[in-house]
Amino acid sequence: MRSVMRAARRGDKSSDPAPSRWAWRVERLLLTPGFILFLRAGVPMLLAFAAGSWWLSDDTRRTALVGAVLEAKASFETRPEFMVHLMAIDGATNALAAEIRAEVMVAFPISSFDLDLEAIRDQVSALAPVNSASVRIKPGGVLQVDVVRRTPVAVWRNRDGLSLVDATGAQVRGLERRMDRSDLPLIAGEGAAHHVEEALQLYQAAAPLGDRLRGIVRMGNRRWDIVLDRGQRILLPEDGAVEALERVIALDEAQDILSRDILQVDLRLGARPTVQMSIYATDMWWNIKEVSGQ
């Protein structure tokens, strides 16, 4: 009886329909979404990559493929709607426009894909007469350059000659003759262009002097001298130059000191202003003193 029961138990075990442990794991793996995605997409991609690598391993086929891509790119970039045929410049004089064209040197027609607009803008902005510039491509194949010019406010006499400068001291362009811009004030001396704003304030304060004013000279890159006709000078201090000049003009209006035979009025020491007479005036003063002394 016991042997029959053991045989029955062995028969039941061999006829068990449940899968083995490894079969169960394989079935679970086949049902995983990631594995299914790998089978559907990953395997084809790997096969395609392998086939492409094998095809591109041949130098002749690879060169032909690169040539076809470049040809397609060139054919697209040179389509009529992408071609630029001319340059238009607004805000510049004829001379400045010619200088811009010579600086940019674009050979038209050219594809808009071959134009570096930022580099062109930097080239134009670097020109001395240009304060700022913008560059864009307009419909119709036009390279549009808009320029804001520097406005000269003074003539600067330096070692290299005459130059027009704007309010920031930047040189606009050279000047052959002072009379070509006699409407602008004249400044001179080392570093004068770096103090244009102060020089203009001095010119405004010196307006009552009228045509007697010849110019303003920067001395030692520290202070200003006001140059008048008849060789007269007003030596201004480093600080408070405008106020000191206004005091001299007020004194001149009251006592006509600048109409007298003097060479300079020295205001560098605010507490002790001095006046230097000409040699002729000094001799006359000594003669008068000697006569009065006799």
Side-chain angles (χ1 to χ4, degrees):
M1 185 67 179
R2 292 181 179 177
S3 61
V4 173
M5 292 179 62
R6 285 196 295 270
R9 285 198 294 270
R10 286 197 298 269
D12 292 341
K13 185 175 181 180
S14 60
S15 63
D16 186 2
S20 65
R21 179 176 297 180
W22 286 105
W24 178 78
R25 289 182 178 179
V26 171
E27 290 179 0
R28 289 290 303 271
L29 179 62
L30 292 175
L31 295 175
T32 303
F35 187 77
I36 295 174
L37 179 62
F38 173 74
L39 292 178
R40 292 180 177 178
V43 172
M45 289 178 62
L46 289 175
L47 293 175
F49 178 77
S53 299
W54 171 80
W55 191 86
L56 290 174
S57 62
D58 183 76
D59 291 339
T60 303
R61 290 194 292 262
R62 187 167 58 248
T63 303
L65 178 62
V66 172
V69 172
L70 293 178
E71 184 178 356
K73 178 182 177 183
S75 176
F76 175 79
E77 292 181 352
T78 56
R79 294 175 62 178
E81 57 266 32
F82 298 135
M83 296 302 293
V84 179
H85 301 280
L86 56 90
M87 178 191 298
I89 302 175
D90 290 337
T93 62
N94 293 335
L96 179 56
E99 187 176 356
I100 292 174
R101 296 181 191 278
E103 180 68 22
V104 175
M105 292 290 291
V106 176
F108 296 104
I110 185 173
S111 173
S112 59
F113 291 95
D114 295 330
L115 289 174
D116 189 343
L117 299 184
E118 185 175 352
I120 294 175
R121 183 197 62 192
D122 293 341
Q123 285 181 294
V124 176
S125 300
L127 296 176
V130 177
N131 185 31
S132 62
S134 62
V135 181
R136 68 185 190 278
I137 297 177
K138 293 177 60 177
V142 178
L143 178 61
Q144 180 66 44
V145 180
D146 295 314
V147 173
V148 178
R149 290 179 297 163
R150 296 186 185 276
T151 302
V153 297
V155 177
W156 178 33
R157 186 185 298 278
N158 52 71
R159 296 178 180 178
D160 298 328
L162 297 174
S163 299
L164 295 175
V165 295
D166 67 357
T168 65
Q171 297 189 46
V172 177
R173 61 180 176 86
L175 191 67
E176 293 184 1
R177 299 179 304 171
R178 168 71 176 110
M179 295 305 298
D180 292 339
R181 292 306 303 267
S182 59
D183 58 311
L184 296 179
L186 176 66
I187 61 176
E190 181 181 358
H194 300 300
H195 303 273
V196 175
E197 183 177 355
E198 184 181 16
L200 295 179
Q201 293 176 357
L202 291 172
Y203 255 95
Q204 185 176 2
L209 297 176
D211 295 338
R212 293 205 57 196
L213 181 62
R214 292 292 180 263
I216 302 180
V217 181
R218 187 77 175 170
M219 304 299 296
N221 202 12
R222 295 183 298 106
R223 61 174 194 83
W224 296 97
D225 275 5
I226 306 298
V227 180
L228 306 178
D229 59 358
R230 304 204 309 265
Q232 290 182 333
R233 285 199 176 209
I234 302 175
L235 282 59
L236 300 176
E238 295 184 34
D239 301 321
V242 176
E243 293 77 6
L245 178 60
E246 290 175 344
R247 290 197 299 270
V248 172
I249 293 176
L251 183 61
D252 179 62
E253 292 177 348
Q255 302 182 12
D256 291 332
I257 62 169
L258 296 178
S259 62
R260 301 179 185 180
D261 197 5
I262 61 176
L263 291 180
Q264 65 183 29
V265 179
D266 191 346
L267 301 174
R268 289 176 292 179
L269 298 178
R272 298 178 57 186
T274 57
V275 175
Q276 178 183 350
M277 296 184 297
S278 65
I279 297 177
Y280 175 78
T282 303
D283 292 341
M284 288 291 296
W285 183 80
W286 279 109
N287 292 333
I288 293 174
K289 185 177 182 181
E290 290 177 357
V291 171
S292 62
Q294 291 178 349

